Amino acid sequence: MVADNRSEVRKVLIITLLLNLLVMAIKAAVGWLTGSLSLLADALHSVTDSANNILGLVTNHYANPQPDRDHPYGHQKFDALGALGIAAFLGIACFEILSGAVERLLKGGTVVKISPNELWILLIVLGINIFVTFYERRVGKRLGSAILVADAQHTMSDVWVTIMVIGGLIGVWQGQVWNIPQLKFLDVFLSFPVAVLVFSSGWKVLRENLPWLVDEMAIAPEVIHAIAMDVPGVVNCHSIASRGVVGRQVFIDMHMIVDAVDVETAHGITEEVEARLEQRFSPVRILIHVEPPAYHSDQISYDSEEKEEGKRGSALKERIE
């Protein structure tokens, strides 16, 4: 049974939402005062942080892991959908950063002016982002929440972006102090690697959550087969399938040939197989179709559907004859 941790996830999302709103306001204010394109882009990135928290709160409301009549496999795919929403926001942020940088290079714009006091404010903002990242990641891994882990990944990209922006603004400040006009372009050029970091974070979130939504294999069928074959009374197993994400929720179904002539013995064998799979891959829901000792199949999984169907037809013909 998967624990319902939505109340804890909601608490974390509310705390990080308030902190992200504070960070966004500070970055936007300092960016507007200094004319820094990279800092305004970073503020836009923080807007997506806040939007992600709101999206996460909505998603978390519907992501009940417990099954019901309309959703017999639970509702956890809502969690993965929320994570994909984060990836979409990151893609939008990447586009906005790049378009703003190109426009500034082609058309020019406001000269960036920065003071040491404004740099110290940005360092405080950086500290808040680092706290949010590690707080969300730690709780997300403990609770097995995809939305928290994805949001922490997003905020971590914000940390690197902010570090890069602060480094660039320090360079701009040095250009002001030492009267080096070339350094005024440093802010614009840094916008491009910032966009690359944002895109990289979105791609990682997408790669981690898409397998859940498309029912990609969660556990190699050979591993499941080996565990089942170690149980006394199991002759063979085939048509093994799995989906989900190990550590969050896995579903396994399989056909198993058992050395049993009565239902009670067959039931005991399947119970032992389920117990061993549960111990290895919990939380997991398992469906086992029991077949008699006379049945034969060498098809562990679904590599060749036609070959499997042919063997089933031959086995059925032999039983009839």
Side-chain angles (χ1 to χ4, degrees):
M1 184 67 70
V2 184
D4 189 353
N5 298 313
R6 286 181 298 160
S7 61
E8 292 184 70
V9 173
R10 183 166 55 249
K11 176 184 174 182
V12 174
L13 287 172
I14 291 173
I15 292 173
T16 55
L17 171 61
L18 295 175
L19 291 174
N20 283 330
L21 288 173
L22 175 63
V23 165
M24 177 190 68
I26 294 174
K27 288 179 181 178
V30 176
W32 182 77
L33 290 172
T34 61
S36 169
L37 175 63
S38 62
L39 188 54
L40 289 173
D42 195 13
L44 175 63
H45 195 201
S46 295
V47 170
T48 66
D49 282 331
S50 302
N52 292 339
N53 293 143
I54 295 172
L55 175 64
L57 287 168
V58 174
T59 302
N60 182 68
H61 175 73
Y62 293 102
N64 186 349
Q66 308 306 332
D68 59 28
R69 183 182 182 278
D70 295 326
H71 301 86
Y73 295 98
H75 309 72
Q76 287 183 294
K77 284 190 178 181
F78 283 105
D79 202 20
L81 282 172
L84 293 188
I86 290 177
F89 275 122
L90 285 167
I92 294 171
C94 176
F95 174 78
E96 291 295 334
I97 293 170
L98 288 176
S99 60
V102 171
E103 184 177 1
R104 179 73 65 89
L105 285 175
L106 294 177
K107 299 181 179 180
T110 306
V111 177
V112 178
K113 295 181 179 180
I114 191 78
S115 69
N117 289 335
E118 290 163 334
L119 289 173
W120 279 111
I121 292 173
L122 292 179
L123 286 174
I124 295 173
V125 168
L126 177 62
I128 295 174
N129 276 340
I130 291 173
F131 167 77
V132 169
T133 297
F134 285 95
Y135 173 56
E136 269 195 307
R137 180 182 296 168
R138 179 174 59 84
V139 179
K141 288 185 175 180
R142 177 171 61 84
L143 300 179
S145 171
I147 193 71
L148 286 184
V149 173
D151 199 40
Q153 180 66 34
H154 184 189
T155 308
M156 190 64 209
S157 73
D158 208 23
V159 169
W160 290 113
V161 167
T162 304
I163 290 174
M164 189 177 296
V165 169
I166 291 175
L169 291 176
I170 290 174
V172 171
W173 174 62
Q174 290 293 319
Q176 294 171 189
V177 173
W178 298 101
N179 194 24
I180 305 175
Q182 291 84 355
L183 287 178
K184 70 178 182 179
F185 295 105
L186 185 60
D187 178 71
V188 178
F189 286 125
L190 280 175
S191 300
F192 290 96
V194 165
V196 172
L197 285 173
V198 171
F199 178 81
S200 176
S201 296
W203 175 249
K204 184 173 182 179
V205 170
L206 180 66
R207 190 177 67 243
E208 289 178 352
N209 287 277
L210 195 58
W212 176 276
L213 293 173
V214 300
D215 290 336
E216 184 178 300
M217 177 189 69
I219 306 165
E222 293 80 9
V223 174
I224 298 173
H225 182 270
I227 293 173
M229 292 300 293
D230 280 340
V231 176
V234 176
V235 177
N236 201 358
C237 51
H238 60 99
S239 300
I240 300 171
S242 65
R243 61 185 177 89
V245 177
V246 175
R248 285 162 59 184
Q249 174 70 73
V250 176
F251 299 90
I252 298 174
D253 60 85
M254 58 196 293
H255 289 220
M256 193 164 66
I257 304 168
V258 297
D259 185 13
V261 294
D262 59 275
V263 174
E264 186 175 352
T265 303
H267 177 74
I269 295 171
T270 59
E271 286 282 300
E272 179 61 23
V273 172
E274 290 175 357
R276 295 192 186 190
L277 291 171
E278 175 74 30
Q279 183 180 15
R280 178 79 176 272
F281 303 112
S282 179
V284 59
R285 284 174 58 182
I286 307 160
L287 176 64
I288 299 177
H289 175 77
V290 176
E291 292 174 327
Y295 188 87
H296 175 74
S297 176
D298 296 324
Q299 192 75 12
I300 294 179
S301 189
Y302 292 92
D303 296 328
S304 175
E305 188 66 29
E306 291 183 3
K307 183 178 178 182
E308 174 66 12
E309 289 296 332
K311 288 188 176 182
R312 289 191 177 192
S314 298
L316 178 60
K317 183 178 178 181
E318 288 176 5
R319 286 201 296 261
I320 293 173
E321 292 175 349

